[in-house]
Amino acid sequence: MAYSAEALAFAKVPVSEQVRLEDRVSYAYIEYARIVQDRTGVVALGTEDGNLFRKTVQLPVGGMAVLMLGPGTSISAAAMTSCTRAGATVIFCGGGGVPAYSHATPLSSSAKWAIAQAKVVSDPALQLAVAKKLYVKQFGIPELGGATIRQLRGIEGQLMKRTYKELAQKYRVKGFRRDTDAQDAVNVALNVCNSLIYGCAASVCAALGLNPALGVIHRGNVRALLFDLGDLYKPSVVLPAAFSCYLVQGEGDNFDSAKVASAARHKMRRELFRHGILPEMLAVTMGLFAPYLPSRDDDRIVDDEGEVPGHVQYGG
């Protein structure tokens, strides 16, 4: 199905006129549907009374941070292009909620945040300073003094161990062990909740033009910075939401992983909204890199003595 340039025009909204990230819906989840673009925008075609593709649901991708596409879902090239141009991060969810992230066009035309990020991750002293800020936020304490990264990792490990233990006792989960491949209620819910918090982090990175692969605490993974930002909310939001889904599980052969995953998505949507995670995560991320922003925010090129203005013909 082809669409005219007029039908695709809505996807070319200037960055300055798009919905700000902090004002967007955290996420929408779609399964067993076909996502296409029609003359009114991006729509989901689903089943109705057993008739395939008879039900149409409008998807306001320009006002979404994350669009999750679950099992049985396909998306057209035109619809995917519109999601990307609108700054919406698309997650393709497989079994167990394990996602792959698409790339979204930054909601900023400036590279200043990426330059600041590169400056931090390339300087061990700056990296340590920013890592401490991340741990302060995660631990909920005012300062860390002269603690080393090794000591901070130890504190983090103890915090997570204690949180797992307290939640397991609260919801009477016996013998819990974290295993991303396990098919028990809590592990299934944790996979889903982690996917959502990392999806929010991906949208924050896309909005600022940051590189998700250049993490501060995590390294070696293309989603390293997403792990850094997502971990900030593990003890306070993600883990409690996942453990609360233990109550919806069935027993033995009646265990329904799809039901648990659905409960986890609904619970996380409420928690993301209640805690204002998107605007807070955006503010935290900007606060981390703001001290290292370049003094200039214009287009320029490298010169032997530094930098010179861009868009100039230097051939003469």
Side-chain angles (χ1 to χ4, degrees):
M1 184 181 294
Y3 298 96
S4 65
E6 289 78 14
L8 296 174
F10 89 100
K12 301 178 182 180
V13 178
V15 167
S16 61
E17 298 180 17
Q18 292 188 22
V19 178
R20 293 171 63 87
L21 182 69
E22 57 264 41
D23 296 328
R24 295 186 177 213
V25 175
S26 58
Y27 81 92
Y29 175 81
I30 305 292
E31 63 180 19
Y32 300 108
R34 181 183 175 193
I35 313 299
V36 299
Q37 184 170 328
D38 67 6
R39 294 184 181 277
T40 63
V42 178
V43 298
L45 305 178
T47 60
E48 186 174 43
D49 298 329
N51 295 314
L52 193 60
F53 304 143
R54 290 292 300 276
K55 184 177 182 180
T56 302
V57 179
Q58 193 80 34
L59 300 178
V61 295
M64 293 180 186
V66 181
L67 176 62
M68 297 183 70
L69 303 182
T73 306
S74 64
I75 185 169
S76 69
M80 188 69 196
T81 300
S82 293
C83 291
T84 301
R85 287 175 173 170
T89 297
V90 179
I91 303 177
F92 293 91
C93 301
V98 179
Y101 296 93
S102 75
H103 177 72
T105 301
L107 296 179
S108 169
S109 60
S110 171
K112 63 181 182 180
W113 293 102
I115 293 172
Q117 178 190 20
K119 183 176 181 179
V120 168
V121 300
S122 61
D123 186 323
L126 297 183
Q127 179 193 0
L128 175 61
V130 174
K132 285 186 175 181
K133 291 182 180 180
L134 284 167
Y135 278 125
V136 165
K137 170 62 180 174
Q138 183 178 357
F139 300 155
I141 56 180
E143 59 181 318
L144 291 168
T148 65
I149 287 292
R150 179 175 296 181
Q151 291 172 330
L152 296 177
R153 285 202 304 266
I155 295 174
E156 180 185 26
Q158 290 298 318
L159 171 66
M160 297 303 293
K161 183 178 180 180
R162 184 183 67 191
T163 304
Y164 276 123
K165 183 177 180 180
E166 291 176 349
L167 289 171
Q169 291 176 344
K170 178 179 179 180
Y171 292 100
R172 300 179 181 179
V173 183
K174 297 181 179 180
F176 172 76
R177 288 181 62 86
R178 179 65 176 126
D179 182 355
T180 56
D181 296 323
Q183 286 298 301
D184 61 276
V186 176
N187 276 301
V188 168
L190 278 170
N191 288 341
V192 172
C193 293
N194 283 335
S195 297
L196 289 170
I197 200 68
Y198 294 147
C200 289
S203 290
V204 168
C205 289
L208 297 176
L210 297 173
N211 187 339
L214 300 182
V216 177
I217 296 174
H218 293 84
R219 288 291 177 89
N221 189 292
V222 293
R223 296 183 292 165
L225 185 59
L226 309 187
F227 298 154
D228 288 347
L229 298 177
D231 283 357
L232 298 177
Y233 305 96
K234 289 285 186 69
S236 59
V237 178
V238 177
L239 268 61
F243 271 85
S244 70
C245 296
Y246 180 77
L247 302 177
V248 305
Q249 71 168 343
E251 297 292 340
D253 295 337
N254 294 323
F255 174 73
D256 189 343
S257 61
K259 184 177 180 181
V260 172
S262 177
R265 287 192 298 270
H266 284 82
K267 180 67 174 180
M268 273 296 288
R269 179 185 284 119
R270 291 193 295 270
E271 293 303 298
L272 290 172
F273 176 77
R274 186 166 73 89
H275 292 278
I277 296 300
L278 270 178
E280 180 180 315
M281 188 183 290
L282 182 64
V284 168
T285 305
M286 294 173 70
L288 293 174
F289 297 114
Y292 315 106
L293 289 172
S295 57
R296 297 173 58 182
D297 188 23
D298 58 338
D299 292 339
R300 51 199 188 277
I301 57 178
V302 176
D303 187 61
D304 293 330
E305 285 76 35
E307 298 173 339
V308 295
H311 307 289
V312 175
Q313 174 55 267
Y314 290 98

